[in-house]
Amino acid sequence: SQQGEEDPQALSIQEGENATMNCSYKTSINNLQWYRQNSGRGLVHLILIRSNEREKHSGRLRVTLDTSKKSSSLLITASRAADTASYFCATVPLIQGAQKLVFGQGTRLTINP
Amino acid sequence: NAGVTQTPKFQVLKTGQSMTLQCAQDMNHNSMYWYRQDPGMGLRLIYYSASEGTTDKGEVPNGYNVSRLNKREFSLRLESAAPSQTSVYFCASSERPSGIHYNEQFFGPGTRLTVL
């Protein structure tokens, strides 16, 4: 069964606005990763946050992790048309031997010019 | 570097036919993975290989077999294809197993498989 659930399933905003996507998961984790998938392509890694970290930045990306609520958020600031893609969170559950990622269903983000 | 390559890009099979999906990486990674992605769903792990010489089942292994041919190559075989195996298949690799080593995964472009 899938560990992570993204919210919302789809998000449409205007270029220049900020986009926030949320991920909730069920079991304790070692780390959580966010990936982007452009239509018809493979996934590309964006950022990794460890279970002992609360916030991480990379360019226009900001990720937060709240292990007490078992949730994470991905914020994309000053969105661009090129940010249009699906975004997936992936967790490494501690109970599963810490050797594989478990992906959520993804958020489909559309940036309107 | 080509990264992770997959062949073929597209394939149509009839029920009962067999085929092998090929995956290769040129990043000298130890770990490799096979996922399937169905509409409206995230990726589900079929099999993985934490290191050369080892393979383990993932979440949805039934109907599939894998071979870690060498450090570079990891193939996925469908022995008797079924319509339920219609999906997009992704291969991925990481330097070491994702998890305690905090490694990201690198993905190939995918194989779109249709089983009639």
Side-chain angles (χ1 to χ4, degrees):
Chain A
S1 62
Q2 293 184 288
Q3 159 85 311
E5 292 186 5
E6 281 92 340
D7 171 54
Q9 290 190 341
L11 178 63
S12 182
I13 62 174
Q14 294 300 120
E15 195 167 18
E17 294 181 339
N18 295 341
T20 299
M21 289 158 275
N22 302 297
C23 170
S24 60
Y25 55 91
K26 299 172 185 172
T27 62
S28 297
I29 61 170
N30 173 280
N31 68 82
L32 184 146
Q33 305 181 24
W34 284 91
Y35 287 79
R36 184 187 74 228
Q37 183 181 33
N38 290 91
S39 181
R41 310 289 288 272
L43 277 71
V44 175
H45 181 264
L46 295 175
I47 198 163
L48 181 155
I49 186 163
R50 302 185 181 198
S51 59
N52 62 351
E53 297 176 316
R54 292 297 166 258
E55 188 171 311
K56 207 161 180 182
H57 296 256
S58 176
R60 293 183 297 112
L61 305 181
R62 172 178 170 252
V63 169
T64 61
L65 179 65
D66 187 334
T67 53
S68 67
K69 295 181 179 178
K70 292 187 170 58
S71 68
S72 173
S73 67
L74 171 68
L75 168 67
I76 303 175
T77 61
S79 63
R80 306 168 181 169
D83 294 328
T84 293
S86 291
Y87 291 82
F88 295 89
C89 70
T91 57
V92 180
L94 282 175
I95 61 172
Q96 291 187 20
Q99 290 203 71
K100 50 200 181 199
L101 291 173
V102 181
F103 285 84
Q105 296 178 336
T107 292
R108 191 170 62 253
L109 175 64
T110 302
I111 309 299
N112 302 302
Chain B
N1 285 354
V4 180
T5 57
Q6 293 183 237
T7 56
K9 287 187 168 56
F10 301 93
Q11 184 71 48
V12 179
L13 293 177
K14 294 181 180 178
T15 297
Q17 288 185 317
S18 62
M19 78 161 296
T20 300
L21 281 64
Q22 307 286 354
C23 173
Q25 52 89 10
D26 62 1
M27 296 173 283
N28 200 35
H29 284 172
N30 290 293
S31 304
M32 298 185 73
Y33 312 81
W34 275 107
Y35 295 90
R36 60 178 287 174
Q37 184 177 34
D38 300 299
M41 300 187 71
L43 276 67
R44 292 184 291 170
L45 183 65
I46 305 171
Y47 270 93
Y48 67 102
S49 171
S51 61
E52 187 179 357
T54 69
T55 60
D56 286 285
K57 294 178 181 179
E59 183 185 353
V60 288
N62 290 345
Y64 305 95
N65 285 300
V66 290
S67 296
R68 184 73 184 266
L69 304 170
N70 47 56
K71 192 172 185 180
R72 289 188 62 247
E73 298 171 288
F74 188 39
S75 64
L76 178 71
R77 182 160 178 84
L78 286 70
E79 290 291 352
S80 179
S84 61
Q85 295 178 303
T86 293
S87 189
V88 181
Y89 291 85
F90 289 98
C91 177
S93 70
S94 62
E95 186 174 353
R96 287 174 292 181
S98 296
I100 58 174
H101 299 289
Y102 304 106
N103 282 171
E104 64 183 279
Q105 292 186 9
F106 294 81
F107 284 79
T111 294
R112 191 172 297 273
L113 175 67
T114 301
V115 183
L116 302 175

